[in-house]
Amino acid sequence: MTGTPPATPSDIKAKLRQDALRRRAAAHQRQMASAGEIVRGLGLDLIGQLPGSVVSGYFPIRDEIDPVPLLTGVIESGMQVVLPVILAKATPLIFRTWQPGDVLETKPFGLKEPLASAKVALPDILLVPLSAFDSAGFRIGYGGGYFDRTLDLYRKNRKITAIGVAYDEQEVPCFAHEPHDQSMDYLITPTGVRTFGT
């Protein structure tokens, strides 16, 4: 007698991701007009208390909260902003400098990256996008593993702080964490900042 094989951690994450993205889309419709500015205020307060002067951000895709207001505030405070760049599949990210008005290259899935002529810099603080998160501070991304690989590499060699940005509606039950999963240090949502194990 054969039965259904048990779900793998990847299968479970895929289902949690799907459900969380559906909730995120609904939350975005309700909150997108205010969420970016709320995250800007909370993020500037948090980042101002952390060590380091280089912050990695990203441009939003789909229904993500827009972190660009926070990034412009970071620059206005005198810090440097970099954006992630994918060099090859299944490799850590690199980071290139960005200022408002810089030309960006559009990549697959709507990702926007600085041009190859932009200077490479190492971030001290990494804003991370996500599909879902749990109460232990672990995130589910989009399946490529780029941020997990990057955090793993950085944490072996230097201090880096990972800050997720999400709607509260993206929270999922705690899931089985695989060896490659990297936890966040903080999470910013429209209702406040959550701290994980720091």
Side-chain angles (χ1 to χ4, degrees):
M1 180 175 169
T2 60
T4 303
T8 67
S10 293
D11 294 335
I12 294 168
K13 285 183 182 178
K15 178 66 166 65
L16 292 172
R17 179 187 296 115
Q18 182 181 29
D19 293 344
L21 288 177
R22 187 184 68 253
R23 293 193 303 274
R24 184 179 77 179
H28 193 62
Q29 288 298 313
R30 296 190 306 270
Q31 303 176 55
M32 62 179 168
S34 60
E37 285 302 320
I38 294 171
V39 165
R40 171 190 164 104
L42 293 169
L44 288 175
D45 286 346
L46 173 60
I47 290 169
Q49 301 171 44
L50 298 173
S53 61
V54 181
V55 178
S56 170
Y58 56 91
F59 271 63
I61 60 171
R62 293 179 277 189
D63 306 307
E64 291 175 345
I65 295 176
D66 186 358
V68 176
L70 171 55
L71 299 181
T72 57
V74 166
I75 290 171
E76 289 164 3
S77 74
M79 301 175 76
Q80 185 178 51
V81 166
V82 295
L83 299 179
V85 173
I86 298 172
L87 288 182
K89 188 174 181 179
T91 62
L93 301 161
I94 68 163
F95 301 88
R96 297 188 186 276
T97 57
W98 174 79
Q99 287 273 344
D102 285 356
V103 175
L104 297 174
E105 187 175 359
T106 301
K107 295 289 191 171
F109 309 109
L111 299 174
K112 295 188 180 297
E113 298 180 353
L115 302 180
S117 56
K119 180 182 174 184
V120 174
L122 299 177
D124 306 299
I125 298 165
L126 190 63
L127 298 182
V128 292
L130 52 98
S131 298
F133 66 90
D134 70 12
S135 61
F138 285 86
R139 58 183 280 282
I140 298 174
Y142 297 105
Y146 291 101
F147 281 94
D148 284 328
R149 287 188 200 92
T150 303
L151 284 168
D152 179 56
L153 175 65
Y154 274 55
R155 285 171 168 165
K156 288 175 180 174
N157 295 285
R158 61 197 301 269
K159 170 68 176 172
I160 189 165
T161 303
I163 304 174
V165 178
Y167 290 105
D168 294 278
E169 288 83 351
Q170 291 171 247
E171 185 168 3
V172 297
C174 281
F175 51 90
H177 307 135
E178 298 177 271
H180 62 267
D181 288 335
Q182 295 287 313
S183 63
M184 300 177 288
D185 299 296
Y186 301 94
L187 175 72
I188 304 172
T189 77
T191 61
V193 175
R194 306 189 193 194
T195 303
F196 306 107
T198 56

